[in-house]
Amino acid sequence: EVQLKESGGGLVQAGGSLRLSCLASRSTFETYAIGWFRQAPGKEREGVSCIWSSGGNTHYADSVKGRFTISKDSAKNTVYLQMNVLKPEDTAVYFCAADYSGTCDGGYDFWGQGTQVTVSS
C-alpha cells in the first residue's frame, strides 16, 4: 500500500510562510502524481495543487495561484508545498494524496494523515 507522510504545518501570522512536505517511497514518488488538498472546519475538501509524477506539469487552485508553489526533490523523495503570503482563509488541515495515473486526473486513492496549518490575523 502507498504510504504518505505530511509534515511542516504550524501556526503562522498572516503574511508569513510555511513549507509543507509530503514524503513518499521512491517508487511512489516516481510513478504517482501528488496532490495537496485542504479541509477547513465545516467546509468541503478543496484541491490546492498537484504535480505530475514527471514534474512536467503543475496545477493550482485560483485561490492560491501566485502564492503557493509545488515542487519535487528527487534526492529526498519529497513533494513540497511552499506557501507564501498566507491568509487566515488558508487555515485548514492539509493532506497530500497520490494519483496512480501520474497526471493529476483526480483518482486519488492514497492519502496522508494531514498536517494542521493555522494562520492568525
Side-chain angles (χ1 to χ4, degrees), residues 9-83:
L11 175 64
V12 65
Q13 292 185 339
S17 298
L18 286 172
R19 187 178 71 167
L20 305 184
S21 299
C22 179
L23 177 65
S25 69
R26 180 176 179 83
S27 60
T28 298
F29 183 85
E30 294 180 347
T31 303
Y32 289 70
I34 300 295
W36 284 98
F37 297 80
R38 65 188 182 186
Q39 188 165 23
K43 301 292 185 179
E44 297 294 319
R45 186 174 60 204
E46 174 189 17
V48 176
S49 186
C50 189
I51 188 166
W52 286 23
S53 60
S54 66
N57 289 84
T58 59
H59 306 272
Y60 299 94
D62 288 342
S63 59
V64 307
K65 194 171 298 182
R67 299 188 297 122
F68 291 11
T69 303
I70 191 168
S71 62
K72 301 180 68 174
D73 186 333
S74 296
K76 297 181 178 180
N77 298 329
T78 299
V79 172
Y80 298 102
L81 185 68
Q82 179 67 46
M83 307 186 296

